[in-house]
Amino acid sequence: MKKAGLWVVVVVIALLILTAVGVHRWFNPPAPAAQLFFNGTVLTMDPQQPVADAMLVKHGEIVALGEAEVLRQQVSRDVMVIDLEGGTLMPGFIEAHGYFPGEGLSAVAVDANSPPIGDLHSIDTLLERLSLLAQRRSEGVLLAYGFDHTAIGEQRYPTRSELDSVSETRPIVVMHRSGHFGVVNSAALSSMGIKEDVTDPTGGFYGRDETGRLNGLLAEAAFYPVRSKALALASMDLLKVLSRASHIYLSRGITFAQNGLADPAAIRALEPALQFGLIPLRLSLWPNTEAEQQRQSGKLDIPEGDRIHLGPVKLVSEGSLQGYSGFFGSPYYSLPDDSPEDDLGGGALSQQALNDQVQQFHCQGRQVAVHANGHASIDQSLNAIAGARSACPQVRVRPVLIHVQMATPEQLQRMVALDVIPSFFNVDMSYWGDRHQDIFPGQEPARQVSPLAQAAQAGLRFTLHADSPMVPFEPLQLVWNAVERKAASGALLGPAQAVGVERALQAVTVDAAKQLGVADQVGQLRPGMRADLVWMDRDPREAIGDWREIQVLGTWVGGLRRYPSGQAERPRSAM
């Protein structure tokens, strides 16, 4: 009996292993032996050979560029031939900063975005949509994301009582578009153990009504634990979100995504999907300080591999411009009635605390990425980086500053001296440019938001990002915005800070790869690089003014066609 029992265990284990291998193979088939792309423009992003007529790929790796007839002689007659039909092939787009799979949240949550992203105009509509969500989803947290109080008629957040009218028993969490604020109902407060006598944490606060009762608004450090718990999705919900986000990204030609502030719970939730290869594009995970400390102590595993990359440690030095919590060096142009007249926003960390964190990780040889929007926050971040470089001059990793919207010429020069990579949240002006002029920094500072031209003139290699899902990550929109600098109204915001289309394309391909530390693998089309590709029906260098009309016809990751799904190439002998 003992031997029989042992054999049963062995067989069960073997079956589980075979099943795991089979699942992984199902989602990760091998790349074709050889692929020849021809009859279009191959835009390489490689200054040594900017354009080619054709490209040859073997087993997911680029092996040659040149004339199609010449390349055709290097492979057997069963090469997979991809006719570009006069379109353009270029490196897949790379996310320099975002929160993948955030754009897939619409699979399980309310999209509370207002125009020009969504169609939410009022709190009443938000409450109606939460009620409908409660009917579709019979249990669990009711989540809404993308809410912006400055973009609806009431010009305010919903209250705790209003959310209680939707449900008094199920937690409700409404996330602000910035991700730095949220509003919750009484059930959510109770489930998180937040009581009326709670004290404000450092770098955050709990909103209260005129009687002193909690009104449901949670800001910055007060909101982050609630946000983390709300986003700890059940396995099937997470798979739905991952599937939708992956499809969205691949349909836009994005081959490398990023999760820019992964806490331990998020990493553990993603681990099965990472191990089984259920995410069909590459992903860079940026641990927060807690996750990095657990990783270093062996308590947390980040399963790195061909498509999973460990990125820098993400630090947050302040909040957001839209939430009046970006740390300015001067008062906001227009403030809510209950704000101090000289409100400069505020730092999430003191200068000393930021110094300590940056130095700790930098001196360990870990790249750091610091969230910094306002002038004062950028100064603090650069001071911390300067201190870390002085303490450990032998460390060569390059720090990253995320957002840097309000960077001054002097700060850009400091970035050059400190070898810092700025990643600009430039597409922000497409959505908030008008309100930047009227509400947040004011008209003149708004013209200097995301000073790309000054950064280029200073000699900085920079990247562009959308902070997805704060706004959708549409790579071509980022490029267009860098060239045109238009607000939603059509108003031009600082056209002198615009850059050319080729420079902007570099920021979402080769320079984004450099920022992530993977420029030897992706970001350019040249021999030895992975075949991460996007095929568009026209050349974005010539058609960027009509970026919405440019169609993505195909997306490949490591030579494997991932978009459209079910469109695997077949061997062809003629061209």
Side-chain angles (χ1 to χ4, degrees), residues 349-538:
L349 298 172
S350 68
Q351 180 70 75
Q352 187 59 55
L354 185 60
N355 291 352
D356 292 344
Q357 288 193 4
V358 171
Q359 182 170 320
Q360 173 192 349
F361 295 117
H362 179 82
C363 290
Q364 292 171 350
R366 288 288 281 125
Q367 187 182 25
V368 295
V370 188
H371 165 118
N373 270 306
H375 316 92
S377 176
I378 296 169
D379 267 340
Q380 282 191 335
S381 300
L382 291 172
N383 291 342
I385 290 168
R389 286 213 178 277
S390 178
C392 298
Q394 75 281 5
V395 176
R396 301 300 181 189
V397 293
R398 300 181 67 189
V400 181
L401 286 189
I402 300 296
H403 303 326
V404 286
Q405 291 175 278
M406 305 303 298
T408 65
E410 294 75 20
Q411 289 172 334
L412 294 173
Q413 290 297 335
R414 284 192 75 190
M415 292 180 207
V416 174
L418 293 169
D419 196 23
V420 170
I421 305 170
S423 185
F424 291 102
F425 184 25
N426 71 307
V427 75
D428 171 83
M429 69 182 66
S430 294
Y431 299 100
W432 283 285
D434 299 304
R435 278 171 280 166
H436 282 332
Q437 292 190 96
D438 300 336
I439 301 176
F440 304 120
Q443 188 163 7
E444 189 57 38
R447 295 184 181 132
Q448 295 298 113
V449 166
S450 296
L452 305 185
Q454 287 178 344
Q457 291 161 8
L460 285 165
R461 304 303 302 184
F462 58 80
T463 65
L464 305 174
H465 68 264
D467 210 29
S468 165
M470 185 175 180
V471 300
F473 177 33
E474 296 266 15
L476 292 173
Q477 183 187 20
L478 270 67
V479 173
W480 168 82
N481 180 277
V483 175
E484 299 289 346
R485 292 183 66 92
K486 286 184 180 179
S489 66
L492 292 178
L493 287 182
Q497 293 298 344
V499 295
V501 63
E502 292 195 36
R503 180 66 192 84
L505 284 170
Q506 291 169 2
V508 293
T509 54
V510 59
D511 287 336
K514 290 177 181 177
Q515 176 194 297
L516 294 181
V518 292
D520 60 334
Q521 304 169 38
V522 295
Q524 294 179 319
L525 305 185
R526 53 184 173 82
M529 304 290 278
R530 293 170 174 173
D532 288 7
L533 316 168
V534 54
W535 170 26
M536 293 170 284
D537 68 339
R538 64 198 81 178

Side-chain angles (χ1 to χ4, degrees), residues 219-231:
E220 304 288 352
F223 178 55
Y224 298 153
V226 175
R227 181 184 67 187
S228 178
K229 186 172 182 178
L231 293 175

Side-chain angles (χ1 to χ4, degrees), residues 176-194:
H176 188 263
R177 190 184 287 178
S178 68
H180 290 256
F181 301 84
V183 186
V184 301
N185 67 343
S186 298
L189 290 173
S190 177
S191 69
M192 289 296 297
I194 301 172

Side-chain angles (χ1 to χ4, degrees), residues 150-151 155 321-322 324 328 331-336 432-443:
T150 70
Q155 292 284 292
L321 305 189
Q322 293 81 4
Y324 301 98
F328 276 17
Y332 280 78
Y333 181 71
S334 177
L335 288 164
W432 283 285
D434 299 304
R435 278 171 280 166
H436 282 332
Q437 292 190 96
D438 300 336
I439 301 176
F440 304 120
Q443 188 163 7

Side-chain angles (χ1 to χ4, degrees), residues 107-298:
V108 298
V110 169
D111 183 344
N113 281 289
S114 297
I117 301 174
D119 61 357
L120 185 78
H121 293 275
S122 70
I123 289 174
D124 284 344
T125 302
L126 172 65
L127 300 178
E128 290 173 6
R129 293 180 182 178
L130 284 167
S131 296
L132 290 173
L133 181 66
Q135 295 173 25
R136 294 198 308 270
R137 297 173 59 81
S138 59
E139 57 184 23
V141 176
L142 299 174
L143 178 65
Y145 68 97
F147 179 80
D148 183 355
H149 62 297
T150 70
I152 60 171
E154 294 91 341
Q155 292 284 292
R156 64 174 177 83
Y157 291 95
T159 65
R160 168 184 175 180
S161 298
E162 287 171 324
L163 296 182
D164 284 346
S165 71
V166 174
S167 178
E168 295 182 349
T169 58
R170 295 177 64 183
I172 298 175
V173 179
V174 177
M175 296 195 299
H176 188 263
R177 190 184 287 178
S178 68
H180 290 256
F181 301 84
V183 186
V184 301
N185 67 343
S186 298
L189 290 173
S190 177
S191 69
M192 289 296 297
I194 301 172
K195 300 179 180 180
E196 290 294 337
D197 60 354
V198 66
T199 58
D200 291 344
T202 301
F205 66 86
Y206 297 93
R208 296 180 182 276
D209 62 22
E210 61 277 2
T211 69
R213 179 177 181 262
L214 293 174
N215 63 11
L217 176 63
L218 310 177
E220 304 288 352
F223 178 55
Y224 298 153
V226 175
R227 181 184 67 187
S228 178
K229 186 172 182 178
L231 293 175
L233 303 174
S235 297
M236 292 307 298
D237 284 342
L238 179 59
L239 287 176
K240 292 176 184 177
V241 170
L242 285 171
S243 177
R244 182 166 296 185
S246 297
H247 175 77
I248 290 170
Y249 272 43
L250 291 167
S251 72
R252 297 171 184 165
I254 303 161
T255 54
F256 213 131
Q258 189 230 86
N259 186 312
L261 189 65
D263 62 21
I267 293 171
R268 290 190 176 96
L270 284 171
E271 191 170 357
L274 300 178
Q275 290 177 335
F276 284 102
L278 303 185
I279 301 174
L281 63 166
R282 303 192 199 279
L283 176 64
S284 180
L285 282 170
W286 293 15
N288 69 0
T289 54
E290 181 185 6
E292 177 63 14
Q293 288 163 353
Q294 289 191 20
R295 187 190 72 85
Q296 291 186 14
S297 67

